[in-house]
PDB file of all heavy atoms in Angstrom:
ATOM      1  N   ASN Y   1       0.789  -1.233   0.000  1.00 86.00           N
ATOM      2  CA  ASN Y   1       0.000   0.000   0.000  1.00 86.00           C
ATOM      3  C   ASN Y   1       0.818   1.278   0.000  1.00 86.00           C
ATOM      4  O   ASN Y   1       0.278   2.347  -0.296  1.00 86.00           O
ATOM      5  CB  ASN Y   1      -0.947   0.012   1.196  1.00 86.00           C
ATOM      6  CG  ASN Y   1      -2.037  -1.030   1.077  1.00 86.00           C
ATOM      7  OD1 ASN Y   1      -2.206  -1.635   0.024  1.00 86.00           O
ATOM      8  ND2 ASN Y   1      -2.760  -1.263   2.152  1.00 86.00           N
ATOM      9  N   LYS Y   2       2.106   1.174   0.359  1.00 89.00           N
ATOM     10  CA  LYS Y   2       2.939   2.374   0.391  1.00 89.00           C
ATOM     11  C   LYS Y   2       4.061   2.296  -0.642  1.00 89.00           C
ATOM     12  O   LYS Y   2       4.101   3.085  -1.581  1.00 89.00           O
ATOM     13  CB  LYS Y   2       3.494   2.591   1.802  1.00 89.00           C
ATOM     14  CG  LYS Y   2       2.414   2.958   2.816  1.00 89.00           C
ATOM     15  CD  LYS Y   2       2.997   3.229   4.194  1.00 89.00           C
ATOM     16  CE  LYS Y   2       1.897   3.578   5.192  1.00 89.00           C
ATOM     17  NZ  LYS Y   2       2.437   3.798   6.548  1.00 89.00           N
ATOM     18  N   MET Y   3       4.937   1.326  -0.483  1.00 93.00           N
ATOM     19  CA  MET Y   3       6.086   1.272  -1.380  1.00 93.00           C
ATOM     20  C   MET Y   3       5.666   1.068  -2.836  1.00 93.00           C
ATOM     21  O   MET Y   3       6.041   1.834  -3.726  1.00 93.00           O
ATOM     22  CB  MET Y   3       7.054   0.180  -0.927  1.00 93.00           C
ATOM     23  CG  MET Y   3       7.811   0.527   0.339  1.00 93.00           C
ATOM     24  SD  MET Y   3       8.652  -0.896   1.077  1.00 93.00           S
ATOM     25  CE  MET Y   3       9.560  -1.540  -0.313  1.00 93.00           C
ATOM     26  N   ILE Y   4       4.892   0.026  -3.087  1.00 93.00           N
ATOM     27  CA  ILE Y   4       4.521  -0.289  -4.466  1.00 93.00           C
ATOM     28  C   ILE Y   4       3.516   0.710  -5.016  1.00 93.00           C
ATOM     29  O   ILE Y   4       3.677   1.249  -6.120  1.00 93.00           O
ATOM     30  CB  ILE Y   4       3.973  -1.723  -4.550  1.00 93.00           C
ATOM     31  CG1 ILE Y   4       5.090  -2.728  -4.233  1.00 93.00           C
ATOM     32  CG2 ILE Y   4       3.377  -2.000  -5.934  1.00 93.00           C
ATOM     33  CD1 ILE Y   4       4.647  -4.169  -4.207  1.00 93.00           C
ATOM     34  N   LYS Y   5       2.466   0.995  -4.256  1.00 92.00           N
ATOM     35  CA  LYS Y   5       1.418   1.895  -4.734  1.00 92.00           C
ATOM     36  C   LYS Y   5       1.949   3.304  -4.987  1.00 92.00           C
ATOM     37  O   LYS Y   5       1.687   3.908  -6.035  1.00 92.00           O
ATOM     38  CB  LYS Y   5       0.281   1.937  -3.725  1.00 92.00           C
ATOM     39  CG  LYS Y   5      -0.883   2.825  -4.149  1.00 92.00           C
ATOM     40  CD  LYS Y   5      -1.985   2.826  -3.093  1.00 92.00           C
ATOM     41  CE  LYS Y   5      -3.135   3.740  -3.509  1.00 92.00           C
ATOM     42  NZ  LYS Y   5      -4.202   3.766  -2.482  1.00 92.00           N
ATOM     43  N   LEU Y   6       2.715   3.838  -4.036  1.00 93.00           N
ATOM     44  CA  LEU Y   6       3.220   5.201  -4.189  1.00 93.00           C
ATOM     45  C   LEU Y   6       4.218   5.306  -5.339  1.00 93.00           C
ATOM     46  O   LEU Y   6       4.232   6.302  -6.061  1.00 93.00           O
ATOM     47  CB  LEU Y   6       3.854   5.679  -2.880  1.00 93.00           C
ATOM     48  CG  LEU Y   6       2.890   5.886  -1.708  1.00 93.00           C
ATOM     49  CD1 LEU Y   6       3.648   6.257  -0.452  1.00 93.00           C
ATOM     50  CD2 LEU Y   6       1.854   6.956  -2.044  1.00 93.00           C
ATOM     51  N   MET Y   7       5.056   4.284  -5.508  1.00 93.00           N
ATOM     52  CA  MET Y   7       6.004   4.304  -6.625  1.00 93.00           C
ATOM     53  C   MET Y   7       5.275   4.262  -7.964  1.00 93.00           C
ATOM     54  O   MET Y   7       5.644   4.966  -8.915  1.00 93.00           O
ATOM     55  CB  MET Y   7       6.962   3.119  -6.512  1.00 93.00           C
ATOM     56  CG  MET Y   7       8.234   3.418  -5.739  1.00 93.00           C
ATOM     57  SD  MET Y   7       9.307   4.654  -6.525  1.00 93.00           S
ATOM     58  CE  MET Y   7       9.952   3.717  -7.895  1.00 93.00           C
ATOM     59  N   PHE Y   8       4.235   3.451  -8.048  1.00 92.00           N
ATOM     60  CA  PHE Y   8       3.494   3.363  -9.311  1.00 92.00           C
ATOM     61  C   PHE Y   8       2.796   4.686  -9.624  1.00 92.00           C
ATOM     62  O   PHE Y   8       2.798   5.151 -10.771  1.00 92.00           O
ATOM     63  CB  PHE Y   8       2.466   2.229  -9.247  1.00 92.00           C
ATOM     64  CG  PHE Y   8       1.847   1.909 -10.568  1.00 92.00           C
ATOM     65  CD1 PHE Y   8       2.524   1.137 -11.495  1.00 92.00           C
ATOM     66  CD2 PHE Y   8       0.605   2.406 -10.898  1.00 92.00           C
ATOM     67  CE1 PHE Y   8       1.974   0.846 -12.726  1.00 92.00           C
ATOM     68  CE2 PHE Y   8       0.033   2.130 -12.133  1.00 92.00           C
ATOM     69  CZ  PHE Y   8       0.720   1.349 -13.043  1.00 92.00           C
ATOM     70  N   GLU Y   9       2.211   5.300  -8.601  1.00 91.00           N
ATOM     71  CA  GLU Y   9       1.538   6.580  -8.818  1.00 91.00           C
ATOM     72  C   GLU Y   9       2.524   7.691  -9.173  1.00 91.00           C
ATOM     73  O   GLU Y   9       2.217   8.563  -9.985  1.00 91.00           O
ATOM     74  CB  GLU Y   9       0.755   6.979  -7.562  1.00 91.00           C
ATOM     75  CG  GLU Y   9      -0.438   6.090  -7.281  1.00 91.00           C
ATOM     76  CD  GLU Y   9      -1.108   6.412  -5.956  1.00 91.00           C
ATOM     77  OE1 GLU Y   9      -0.514   7.174  -5.153  1.00 91.00           O
ATOM     78  OE2 GLU Y   9      -2.202   5.888  -5.705  1.00 91.00           O
ATOM     79  N   HIS Y  10       3.711   7.649  -8.591  1.00 89.00           N
ATOM     80  CA  HIS Y  10       4.690   8.731  -8.765  1.00 89.00           C
ATOM     81  C   HIS Y  10       5.541   8.546 -10.022  1.00 89.00           C
ATOM     82  O   HIS Y  10       5.816   9.501 -10.734  1.00 89.00           O
ATOM     83  CB  HIS Y  10       5.598   8.774  -7.529  1.00 89.00           C
ATOM     84  CG  HIS Y  10       6.393  10.032  -7.391  1.00 89.00           C
ATOM     85  ND1 HIS Y  10       5.987  11.090  -6.620  1.00 89.00           N
ATOM     86  CD2 HIS Y  10       7.577  10.402  -7.929  1.00 89.00           C
ATOM     87  CE1 HIS Y  10       6.886  12.057  -6.681  1.00 89.00           C
ATOM     88  NE2 HIS Y  10       7.868  11.663  -7.470  1.00 89.00           N
ATOM     89  N   CYS Y  11       5.972   7.308 -10.265  1.00 87.00           N
ATOM     90  CA  CYS Y  11       6.922   7.051 -11.346  1.00 87.00           C
ATOM     91  C   CYS Y  11       6.413   6.078 -12.410  1.00 87.00           C
ATOM     92  O   CYS Y  11       7.071   5.887 -13.430  1.00 87.00           O
ATOM     93  CB  CYS Y  11       8.236   6.497 -10.782  1.00 87.00           C
ATOM     94  SG  CYS Y  11       9.071   7.596  -9.645  1.00 87.00           S
ATOM     95  N   GLY Y  12       5.282   5.426 -12.129  1.00 88.00           N
ATOM     96  CA  GLY Y  12       4.778   4.452 -13.087  1.00 88.00           C
ATOM     97  C   GLY Y  12       5.519   3.136 -13.066  1.00 88.00           C
ATOM     98  O   GLY Y  12       5.387   2.319 -13.968  1.00 88.00           O
ATOM     99  N   THR Y  13       6.322   2.897 -12.020  1.00 90.00           N
ATOM    100  CA  THR Y  13       7.088   1.657 -11.892  1.00 90.00           C
ATOM    101  C   THR Y  13       6.940   1.122 -10.472  1.00 90.00           C
ATOM    102  O   THR Y  13       6.456   1.812  -9.576  1.00 90.00           O
ATOM    103  CB  THR Y  13       8.577   1.879 -12.186  1.00 90.00           C
ATOM    104  OG1 THR Y  13       9.105   2.841 -11.251  1.00 90.00           O
ATOM    105  CG2 THR Y  13       8.791   2.394 -13.598  1.00 90.00           C
ATOM    106  N   GLU Y  14       7.389  -0.110 -10.277  1.00 92.00           N
ATOM    107  CA  GLU Y  14       7.430  -0.700  -8.945  1.00 92.00           C
ATOM    108  C   GLU Y  14       8.876  -0.775  -8.469  1.00 92.00           C
ATOM    109  O   GLU Y  14       9.797  -0.884  -9.281  1.00 92.00           O
ATOM    110  CB  GLU Y  14       6.838  -2.111  -8.950  1.00 92.00           C
ATOM    111  CG  GLU Y  14       5.345  -2.178  -9.183  1.00 92.00           C
ATOM    112  CD  GLU Y  14       4.817  -3.593  -9.014  1.00 92.00           C
ATOM    113  OE1 GLU Y  14       5.605  -4.482  -8.623  1.00 92.00           O
ATOM    114  OE2 GLU Y  14       3.617  -3.804  -9.283  1.00 92.00           O
ATOM    115  N   PRO Y  15       9.097  -0.749  -7.152  1.00 95.00           N
ATOM    116  CA  PRO Y  15      10.465  -0.952  -6.653  1.00 95.00           C
ATOM    117  C   PRO Y  15      10.899  -2.399  -6.841  1.00 95.00           C
ATOM    118  O   PRO Y  15      10.060  -3.311  -6.875  1.00 95.00           O
ATOM    119  CB  PRO Y  15      10.353  -0.596  -5.168  1.00 95.00           C
ATOM    120  CG  PRO Y  15       8.919  -0.862  -4.833  1.00 95.00           C
ATOM    121  CD  PRO Y  15       8.137  -0.524  -6.066  1.00 95.00           C
ATOM    122  N   ASP Y  16      12.188  -2.612  -6.990  1.00 95.00           N
ATOM    123  CA  ASP Y  16      12.723  -3.973  -7.038  1.00 95.00           C
ATOM    124  C   ASP Y  16      12.877  -4.487  -5.609  1.00 95.00           C
ATOM    125  O   ASP Y  16      13.488  -3.814  -4.764  1.00 95.00           O
ATOM    126  CB  ASP Y  16      14.090  -3.997  -7.720  1.00 95.00           C
ATOM    127  CG  ASP Y  16      13.991  -3.757  -9.221  1.00 95.00           C
ATOM    128  OD1 ASP Y  16      12.878  -3.920  -9.770  1.00 95.00           O
ATOM    129  OD2 ASP Y  16      15.006  -3.399  -9.832  1.00 95.00           O
ATOM    130  N   LEU Y  17      12.349  -5.672  -5.331  1.00 95.00           N
ATOM    131  CA  LEU Y  17      12.525  -6.341  -4.044  1.00 95.00           C
ATOM    132  C   LEU Y  17      13.385  -7.561  -4.298  1.00 95.00           C
ATOM    133  O   LEU Y  17      12.981  -8.475  -5.018  1.00 95.00           O
ATOM    134  CB  LEU Y  17      11.168  -6.748  -3.456  1.00 95.00           C
ATOM    135  CG  LEU Y  17      10.104  -5.649  -3.362  1.00 95.00           C
ATOM    136  CD1 LEU Y  17       8.806  -6.209  -2.790  1.00 95.00           C
ATOM    137  CD2 LEU Y  17      10.594  -4.481  -2.523  1.00 95.00           C
ATOM    138  N   LEU Y  18      14.589  -7.593  -3.735  1.00 94.00           N
ATOM    139  CA  LEU Y  18      15.583  -8.602  -4.092  1.00 94.00           C
ATOM    140  C   LEU Y  18      16.035  -9.367  -2.855  1.00 94.00           C
ATOM    141  O   LEU Y  18      16.640  -8.809  -1.935  1.00 94.00           O
ATOM    142  CB  LEU Y  18      16.792  -7.935  -4.761  1.00 94.00           C
ATOM    143  CG  LEU Y  18      16.479  -7.051  -5.976  1.00 94.00           C
ATOM    144  CD1 LEU Y  18      17.708  -6.283  -6.407  1.00 94.00           C
ATOM    145  CD2 LEU Y  18      15.937  -7.899  -7.116  1.00 94.00           C
ATOM    146  N   ASP Y  19      15.734 -10.664  -2.844  1.00 90.00           N
ATOM    147  CA  ASP Y  19      16.204 -11.554  -1.787  1.00 90.00           C
ATOM    148  C   ASP Y  19      17.536 -12.141  -2.234  1.00 90.00           C
ATOM    149  O   ASP Y  19      17.583 -13.005  -3.109  1.00 90.00           O
ATOM    150  CB  ASP Y  19      15.176 -12.655  -1.539  1.00 90.00           C
ATOM    151  CG  ASP Y  19      15.595 -13.613  -0.434  1.00 90.00           C
ATOM    152  OD1 ASP Y  19      16.664 -13.391   0.183  1.00 90.00           O
ATOM    153  OD2 ASP Y  19      14.866 -14.593  -0.183  1.00 90.00           O
ATOM    154  N   GLU Y  20      18.627 -11.643  -1.652  1.00 88.00           N
ATOM    155  CA  GLU Y  20      19.960 -12.074  -2.068  1.00 88.00           C
ATOM    156  C   GLU Y  20      20.581 -13.076  -1.096  1.00 88.00           C
ATOM    157  O   GLU Y  20      21.793 -13.240  -1.050  1.00 88.00           O
ATOM    158  CB  GLU Y  20      20.863 -10.851  -2.233  1.00 88.00           C
ATOM    159  CG  GLU Y  20      20.343  -9.894  -3.303  1.00 88.00           C
ATOM    160  CD  GLU Y  20      21.226  -8.674  -3.513  1.00 88.00           C
ATOM    161  OE1 GLU Y  20      22.051  -8.365  -2.625  1.00 88.00           O
ATOM    162  OE2 GLU Y  20      21.089  -8.030  -4.557  1.00 88.00           O
ATOM    163  N   GLY Y  21      19.737 -13.740  -0.327  1.00 78.00           N
ATOM    164  CA  GLY Y  21      20.216 -14.791   0.574  1.00 78.00           C
ATOM    165  C   GLY Y  21      20.728 -14.240   1.884  1.00 78.00           C
ATOM    166  O   GLY Y  21      20.101 -14.386   2.926  1.00 78.00           O
ATOM    167  N   HIS Y  22      21.880 -13.586   1.851  1.00 84.00           N
ATOM    168  CA  HIS Y  22      22.479 -13.044   3.060  1.00 84.00           C
ATOM    169  C   HIS Y  22      22.020 -11.622   3.362  1.00 84.00           C
ATOM    170  O   HIS Y  22      22.392 -11.054   4.390  1.00 84.00           O
ATOM    171  CB  HIS Y  22      24.000 -13.052   2.932  1.00 84.00           C
ATOM    172  CG  HIS Y  22      24.517 -12.177   1.828  1.00 84.00           C
ATOM    173  ND1 HIS Y  22      24.277 -12.439   0.486  1.00 84.00           N
ATOM    174  CD2 HIS Y  22      25.236 -11.028   1.859  1.00 84.00           C
ATOM    175  CE1 HIS Y  22      24.843 -11.499  -0.252  1.00 84.00           C
ATOM    176  NE2 HIS Y  22      25.417 -10.635   0.548  1.00 84.00           N
ATOM    177  N   ARG Y  23      21.203 -11.056   2.452  1.00 91.00           N
ATOM    178  CA  ARG Y  23      20.691  -9.703   2.674  1.00 91.00           C
ATOM    179  C   ARG Y  23      19.455  -9.492   1.799  1.00 91.00           C
ATOM    180  O   ARG Y  23      19.232 -10.226   0.833  1.00 91.00           O
ATOM    181  CB  ARG Y  23      21.756  -8.655   2.355  1.00 91.00           C
ATOM    182  CG  ARG Y  23      22.189  -8.628   0.889  1.00 91.00           C
ATOM    183  CD  ARG Y  23      23.265  -7.585   0.651  1.00 91.00           C
ATOM    184  NE  ARG Y  23      23.468  -7.351  -0.773  1.00 91.00           N
ATOM    185  CZ  ARG Y  23      24.248  -6.389  -1.258  1.00 91.00           C
ATOM    186  NH1 ARG Y  23      24.899  -5.599  -0.436  1.00 91.00           N
ATOM    187  NH2 ARG Y  23      24.368  -6.231  -2.567  1.00 91.00           N
ATOM    188  N   PHE Y  24      18.677  -8.470   2.168  1.00 94.00           N
ATOM    189  CA  PHE Y  24      17.474  -8.139   1.413  1.00 94.00           C
ATOM    190  C   PHE Y  24      17.594  -6.693   0.935  1.00 94.00           C
ATOM    191  O   PHE Y  24      17.915  -5.792   1.709  1.00 94.00           O
ATOM    192  CB  PHE Y  24      16.227  -8.298   2.285  1.00 94.00           C
ATOM    193  CG  PHE Y  24      14.957  -7.898   1.595  1.00 94.00           C
ATOM    194  CD1 PHE Y  24      14.465  -8.654   0.541  1.00 94.00           C
ATOM    195  CD2 PHE Y  24      14.262  -6.770   1.977  1.00 94.00           C
ATOM    196  CE1 PHE Y  24      13.299  -8.282  -0.114  1.00 94.00           C
ATOM    197  CE2 PHE Y  24      13.094  -6.392   1.342  1.00 94.00           C
ATOM    198  CZ  PHE Y  24      12.609  -7.151   0.290  1.00 94.00           C
ATOM    199  N   LYS Y  25      17.348  -6.490  -0.372  1.00 96.00           N
ATOM    200  CA  LYS Y  25      17.547  -5.163  -0.963  1.00 96.00           C
ATOM    201  C   LYS Y  25      16.244  -4.639  -1.569  1.00 96.00           C
ATOM    202  O   LYS Y  25      15.519  -5.373  -2.236  1.00 96.00           O
ATOM    203  CB  LYS Y  25      18.616  -5.226  -2.060  1.00 96.00           C
ATOM    204  CG  LYS Y  25      18.890  -3.869  -2.726  1.00 96.00           C
ATOM    205  CD  LYS Y  25      19.708  -4.027  -4.006  1.00 96.00           C
ATOM    206  CE  LYS Y  25      21.100  -4.520  -3.740  1.00 96.00           C
ATOM    207  NZ  LYS Y  25      21.909  -4.560  -4.996  1.00 96.00           N
ATOM    208  N   VAL Y  26      15.985  -3.353  -1.314  1.00 96.00           N
ATOM    209  CA  VAL Y  26      14.902  -2.645  -1.985  1.00 96.00           C
ATOM    210  C   VAL Y  26      15.535  -1.563  -2.849  1.00 96.00           C
ATOM    211  O   VAL Y  26      16.367  -0.784  -2.371  1.00 96.00           O
ATOM    212  CB  VAL Y  26      13.927  -2.001  -0.979  1.00 96.00           C
ATOM    213  CG1 VAL Y  26      12.806  -1.268  -1.726  1.00 96.00           C
ATOM    214  CG2 VAL Y  26      13.337  -3.051  -0.055  1.00 96.00           C
ATOM    215  N   CYS Y  27      15.159  -1.536  -4.112  1.00 97.00           N
ATOM    216  CA  CYS Y  27      15.744  -0.576  -5.052  1.00 97.00           C
ATOM    217  C   CYS Y  27      14.632   0.252  -5.697  1.00 97.00           C
ATOM    218  O   CYS Y  27      13.723  -0.295  -6.323  1.00 97.00           O
ATOM    219  CB  CYS Y  27      16.551  -1.319  -6.118  1.00 97.00           C
ATOM    220  SG  CYS Y  27      17.360  -0.223  -7.307  1.00 97.00           S
ATOM    221  N   PHE Y  28      14.719   1.561  -5.523  1.00 96.00           N
ATOM    222  CA  PHE Y  28      13.779   2.493  -6.134  1.00 96.00           C
ATOM    223  C   PHE Y  28      14.476   3.158  -7.329  1.00 96.00           C
ATOM    224  O   PHE Y  28      15.456   3.890  -7.148  1.00 96.00           O
ATOM    225  CB  PHE Y  28      13.358   3.580  -5.141  1.00 96.00           C
ATOM    226  CG  PHE Y  28      12.628   3.063  -3.931  1.00 96.00           C
ATOM    227  CD1 PHE Y  28      13.308   2.783  -2.760  1.00 96.00           C
ATOM    228  CD2 PHE Y  28      11.254   2.859  -3.963  1.00 96.00           C
ATOM    229  CE1 PHE Y  28      12.642   2.317  -1.635  1.00 96.00           C
ATOM    230  CE2 PHE Y  28      10.571   2.398  -2.850  1.00 96.00           C
ATOM    231  CZ  PHE Y  28      11.265   2.117  -1.690  1.00 96.00           C
ATOM    232  N   TRP Y  29      13.961   2.910  -8.523  1.00 95.00           N
ATOM    233  CA  TRP Y  29      14.562   3.470  -9.727  1.00 95.00           C
ATOM    234  C   TRP Y  29      13.925   4.817 -10.054  1.00 95.00           C
ATOM    235  O   TRP Y  29      12.708   4.953 -10.086  1.00 95.00           O
ATOM    236  CB  TRP Y  29      14.395   2.529 -10.912  1.00 95.00           C
ATOM    237  CG  TRP Y  29      15.205   1.278 -10.765  1.00 95.00           C
ATOM    238  CD1 TRP Y  29      14.793   0.080 -10.280  1.00 95.00           C
ATOM    239  CD2 TRP Y  29      16.593   1.124 -11.084  1.00 95.00           C
ATOM    240  NE1 TRP Y  29      15.824  -0.831 -10.273  1.00 95.00           N
ATOM    241  CE2 TRP Y  29      16.942  -0.216 -10.770  1.00 95.00           C
ATOM    242  CE3 TRP Y  29      17.570   1.979 -11.603  1.00 95.00           C
ATOM    243  CZ2 TRP Y  29      18.232  -0.717 -10.957  1.00 95.00           C
ATOM    244  CZ3 TRP Y  29      18.848   1.478 -11.801  1.00 95.00           C
ATOM    245  CH2 TRP Y  29      19.173   0.152 -11.482  1.00 95.00           C
ATOM    246  N   LYS Y  30      14.780   5.796 -10.322  1.00 91.00           N
ATOM    247  CA  LYS Y  30      14.298   7.114 -10.733  1.00 91.00           C
ATOM    248  C   LYS Y  30      13.930   7.082 -12.216  1.00 91.00           C
ATOM    249  O   LYS Y  30      14.328   6.153 -12.932  1.00 91.00           O
ATOM    250  CB  LYS Y  30      15.387   8.167 -10.482  1.00 91.00           C
ATOM    251  CG  LYS Y  30      15.830   8.263  -9.026  1.00 91.00           C
ATOM    252  CD  LYS Y  30      16.996   9.230  -8.870  1.00 91.00           C
ATOM    253  CE  LYS Y  30      17.524   9.232  -7.451  1.00 91.00           C
ATOM    254  NZ  LYS Y  30      18.700  10.131  -7.293  1.00 91.00           N
ATOM    255  N   PRO Y  31      13.186   8.080 -12.696  1.00 81.00           N
ATOM    256  CA  PRO Y  31      12.900   8.145 -14.140  1.00 81.00           C
ATOM    257  C   PRO Y  31      14.190   8.083 -14.942  1.00 81.00           C
ATOM    258  O   PRO Y  31      15.200   8.701 -14.573  1.00 81.00           O
ATOM    259  CB  PRO Y  31      12.194   9.493 -14.288  1.00 81.00           C
ATOM    260  CG  PRO Y  31      11.564   9.728 -12.963  1.00 81.00           C
ATOM    261  CD  PRO Y  31      12.523   9.168 -11.957  1.00 81.00           C
ATOM    262  N   HIS Y  32      14.175   7.366 -16.059  1.00 62.00           N
ATOM    263  CA  HIS Y  32      15.408   7.116 -16.816  1.00 62.00           C
ATOM    264  C   HIS Y  32      16.019   8.392 -17.383  1.00 62.00           C
ATOM    265  O   HIS Y  32      17.217   8.593 -17.349  1.00 62.00           O
ATOM    266  CB  HIS Y  32      15.128   6.127 -17.962  1.00 62.00           C
ATOM    267  CG  HIS Y  32      14.752   4.772 -17.471  1.00 62.00           C
ATOM    268  ND1 HIS Y  32      15.624   3.971 -16.764  1.00 62.00           N
ATOM    269  CD2 HIS Y  32      13.595   4.069 -17.562  1.00 62.00           C
ATOM    270  CE1 HIS Y  32      15.022   2.838 -16.449  1.00 62.00           C
ATOM    271  NE2 HIS Y  32      13.787   2.870 -16.917  1.00 62.00           N
TER     272      HIS Y  32
END
C-alpha cells in the first residue's frame, strides 16, 4: 500500500525487491 502503490503513482514503476540470501535489498529506480 505504500512502497509499491506510491512508486506506481509517482513514477509508473514498482520498486525492485531482491532476496539475495544473506541480505534483502529494496531498489527504487528514478525516471530514466
Side-chain angles (χ1 to χ4, degrees):
N1 292 350
K2 292 183 181 178
M3 288 167 52
I4 294 177
K5 181 180 179 181
L6 292 176
M7 269 295 287
F8 191 79
E9 292 174 348
H10 196 96
C11 299
T13 60
E14 291 187 5
D16 288 342
L17 308 179
L18 306 171
D19 181 3
E20 299 181 342
H22 63 294
R23 64 181 193 173
F24 177 69
K25 180 193 293 185
V26 180
C27 182
F28 297 94
W29 291 95
K30 301 175 185 178
H32 294 295

